[in-house]
Amino acid sequence: MAVDYTVIVVYLAGMLAMGWWGMRRAKSKSEFLVAGRRLGPMMYSGTMAAIVLGGASTIGGVGLGYQYGLSGAWMVFTIGLGLLALSVFFSARIARLKVYTVSEMLDLRYGGRSGLISGVVMWAYTLMLAVTSTIAYATIFDVLFDMNRTIAIILGGSIVVAYSTLGGMWSITLTDMVQFVVKTIGVLLLLLPIAVIKAGGFSEMKAKLPTEYFDPLGIGGETIFTYVLIYTFGMLIGQDIWQRVFTARSDKVARVGGTVAGTYCLVYAVAGAVIGTAAKVMYPKLTSADAAFATIVKDELPIGVRGLVLAAALAAVMSTSSGALIACATVANNDIWSRLRGAIKPSGGDKDEPHDEVKGNRLFILIMGVAVICIAIALNNVVEALTVAYNLLVAGLLVPILGGLLWKRGTVAGALAAVSVGGLSVIGLMWGYGILANEPVYYGLLLSLAAFVIVSLATKPTDAAVLAAWRERLAGRGAEAESDAEPATVTQ
């Protein structure tokens, strides 16, 4: 295992080194939170793919393949579909807004009074996303070093918190690009073909497994629909995803680069399901489907390759964890704390005291990072926590966000009603039906939509001046559009 350990240690040291390098570049709020809004297509595609394909997509995707066969690809596949939809239909408009958070977008669209409550909902989502990603370190480090769960979470979480705090989005972008390359090599180019060969090829897999393992819809239509509702729509509105869109140097980069990343996700989804199916042939009686990834890596891969594939799993977890952490800290500082203090303009003005703002955002990443590690240590049921987070996000924020982008008659009262009704109803429905039931998000979303439409039509239309300013920002011509990025060389 010495070679495998060396690969992992070098990888972790490289992550910290990039954090230090990123600290030297992050001199303004724009540089720290959105990498100066100047990523080119190559860097943008890689980092976007890295953040959406986390531990759940890698370890969980293989586990679903082990349990359901090829149809286990649907969870990650719907993530890719969501990223494609965001990139093709919405990313150009989002990038032109020049804001930092989803709540700032809502304030711009509706007139400046909806950001705080939506910020609280978004903060809860990003916090739990960061927590669940951090818990995954325990699985990986247990395979590597037979490490205690708490120590593993502290070790992995501390590395992510360190490089995220040092350099903000620049550090996260650089590390995510490395993580994207490591995942591509480790999972797609190494683990996938090795797993298929070790299982005897596709003909042997078909001979040894039930036919439903090769049915594209074998996981069930209701499950697929729920995945679309939660993950596809969740990709359209999550702060962690939008904050990456904000890093694009142009709307074309956001659209084209995101399309490439979404297509990559579709390929990654199928690869994970195939690896899991191969693992079912080799290890038909595993006690947990989620153990399939670690088992096949530990038992079937040669020395060195094993270390690289485990580094790929670690990369998947770190990319999602760091993206969720900076999103959580950005929302906590800009949408909640600063608003409560009355220190932020609704339009997202950001040019005052950029050095102090960098220090403030850095402090919030550190605080949120410590909180995430502590909650991850205390929390046991990861699936329930992530389900609550996504249900709140989709039921509370999907309607006011997409409604604001697509329906000019939507009002601030309608948006607030949608967030409140959707959020409260999904909590009550989860209490009644159970956290893992499908009904809460179905009914919560319908109630949110009804509240948005009814209240918007019953209240006075949004002020014409607000809508005019909104249209200017959507066109990239707003007078208050952020422009503090230095005229440096664009990162490709």
Side-chain angles (χ1 to χ4, degrees), residues 157-242:
S158 296
I159 292 171
V160 170
V161 172
Y163 72 69
S164 301
T165 301
L166 286 173
M169 187 59 80
W170 268 124
S171 295
I172 293 172
T173 296
L174 293 170
T175 54
D176 276 1
M177 196 62 196
V178 173
Q179 289 158 0
F180 168 74
V181 173
V182 171
K183 279 191 287 190
T184 300
I185 296 173
V187 175
L188 296 185
L189 302 184
L190 292 176
L191 183 57
L192 174 61
I194 289 173
V196 172
I197 291 170
K198 292 280 187 177
F202 284 103
S203 58
E204 187 71 12
M205 291 162 63
K206 287 185 176 180
K208 290 187 175 182
L209 293 174
T211 55
E212 55 263 28
Y213 263 71
F214 302 91
D215 180 358
L217 303 179
I219 198 170
E222 184 179 357
T223 299
I224 295 171
F225 178 74
T226 302
Y227 285 159
V228 170
L229 197 61
I230 293 177
Y231 296 113
T232 301
F233 286 118
M235 287 295 105
L236 298 180
I237 58 176
Q239 169 67 25
D240 51 326
I241 309 302
W242 277 42

Side-chain angles (χ1 to χ4, degrees), residues 428-439:
L429 289 164
M430 283 190 291
W431 182 273
Y433 282 97
I435 290 177
L436 299 180
N438 294 327
E439 288 85 355

Side-chain angles (χ1 to χ4, degrees), residues 44-90:
Y44 180 87
S45 298
T47 57
M48 182 62 87
I51 188 176
V52 300
L53 295 174
S57 300
T58 303
I59 299 171
V62 171
L64 287 171
Y66 183 89
Q67 188 173 0
Y68 298 105
L70 298 185
S71 66
W74 273 106
M75 184 187 77
V76 183
F77 203 84
T78 55
I79 291 174
L81 291 178
L83 187 52
L84 285 171
L86 174 71
S87 302
V88 173
F89 298 111
F90 300 107

Side-chain angles (χ1 to χ4, degrees), residues 21-28 31-32 166-168 170 358 362:
W21 185 89
M23 183 177 67
R24 303 179 64 180
R25 295 202 63 166
K27 301 299 184 183
S28 70
E31 295 284 351
F32 190 81
L166 286 173
W170 268 124
V358 169
R362 184 173 280 137

Side-chain angles (χ1 to χ4, degrees), residues 337-413:
W337 176 246
S338 293
R339 290 170 189 266
L340 290 175
R341 295 179 60 192
I344 190 169
K345 297 178 182 179
S347 60
D350 55 15
K351 298 174 187 173
D352 295 329
E353 301 181 5
H355 179 67
D356 287 343
E357 291 201 355
V358 169
K359 290 172 63 177
N361 282 291
R362 184 173 280 137
L363 177 61
F364 263 85
I365 290 179
L366 180 60
I367 293 171
M368 291 297 108
V370 172
V372 164
I373 292 172
C374 292
I375 296 172
I377 292 171
L379 195 64
N380 290 319
N381 199 318
V382 179
V383 175
E384 288 190 359
L386 194 59
T387 300
V388 170
Y390 269 102
N391 283 354
L392 277 173
L393 177 72
V394 173
L397 291 179
L398 179 66
V399 170
I401 291 172
L402 294 190
L405 289 169
L406 300 174
W407 190 40
K408 67 179 182 180
R409 185 60 181 82
T411 67
V412 64

Side-chain angles (χ1 to χ4, degrees), residues 59 134-144 149 152 290-291 294 310:
I59 299 171
T134 301
I135 291 173
Y137 297 127
T139 301
I140 298 171
F141 282 113
D142 178 58
V143 175
L144 284 171
R149 177 183 184 273
D290 284 342
L310 287 172

